[in-house]
Amino acid sequence: MNMLRLVVVWLTLGAAVLPGLGAPPGWGGQSVMNLSPADKQLLLQVARDSIAAQLKGKAATPVKATAPVLEEFRGAFVSLHRRGQLRGCIGYLDAVKPLLQTVMEMAPAAAFQDPRFRPLQADELADLEIEISVLTPMRLIKNTEEIEVGKHGLYIVKGLNRGLLLPQVATQYHWDRQTFLEQTCNKAGLPSNAWKDSTTQIFIFRAEIFADHPPQ
């Protein structure tokens, strides 16, 4: 049985968590989500409600998918920001669960299980911004010219070392393609130029990214 790839994404520089492998049988592998504004709003509300429920020591109330797209198996990350600062980010690389369920699980994981931060406190929820990144399937590339900064995220694998950076990270730091590759290598605990090694695997992916703002 393949191990679920639960990964802490370091939106600032740092070490990567070693993931597992694989996607489940029956996964369609579609490359785009076509989420409607209503779909995105539901996912963001589910994320916030799941965090709020755990703060109260309760289980999140199950939510029924309102559109078939929310039942598709997709990798996704939930990133939390507070007052402009990262407050947590955890997700699945692989399409191991339906999108709605993934968001429901990853939101409290980002709030309470990201080892870089102390668990979220109740008084922080009011000004918490939630960002969701829904991933397309990974694609192995041979030519780094295929990488489009601002459009693609990177996942680099060499032996047991691996590192991932979401597309928005390169945009945030105004990196060019080479810097993006170097920083992803660093994330994997590799030398900056490891991306040039023929034994290094470079995967690209895209992400549909959307966020809410703290409720007033």
Side-chain angles (χ1 to χ4, degrees), residues 74-77 92-93 133-138 166 205-208:
R74 285 283 176 163
F77 288 82
Y92 286 128
L93 271 180
S133 301
V134 183
L135 309 189
T136 65
M138 301 274 174
L166 294 173
F205 61 94
R206 296 178 64 182
E208 188 163 355

Side-chain angles (χ1 to χ4, degrees), residues 46 49-50 53 58-64 104:
V46 164
D49 289 347
S50 298
K58 300 179 180 179
T61 302
V63 176
K64 184 176 181 181
M104 185 177 293

Side-chain angles (χ1 to χ4, degrees), residues 78-142:
V78 176
S79 305
L80 307 178
H81 294 85
R82 184 169 181 262
R83 299 176 181 175
Q85 300 297 316
L86 181 67
R87 191 61 179 83
C89 183
I90 291 183
Y92 286 128
L93 271 180
D94 291 324
V96 293
K97 295 184 180 182
L99 177 58
L100 185 63
Q101 182 180 353
T102 292
V103 170
M104 185 177 293
E105 294 179 3
M106 293 302 97
F112 305 109
Q113 297 178 29
D114 188 328
R116 295 167 294 172
F117 305 98
R118 64 184 177 87
L120 191 79
Q121 303 299 301
D123 61 358
E124 296 180 279
L125 184 61
D127 55 1
L128 194 70
E129 181 174 324
I130 299 174
E131 179 184 83
I132 297 173
S133 301
V134 183
L135 309 189
T136 65
M138 301 274 174
R139 180 166 67 86
L140 179 65
I141 62 170
K142 297 298 183 181

Side-chain angles (χ1 to χ4, degrees), residues 11-24:
L11 295 184
T12 53
L13 308 185
V17 174
L18 295 182
L21 298 170

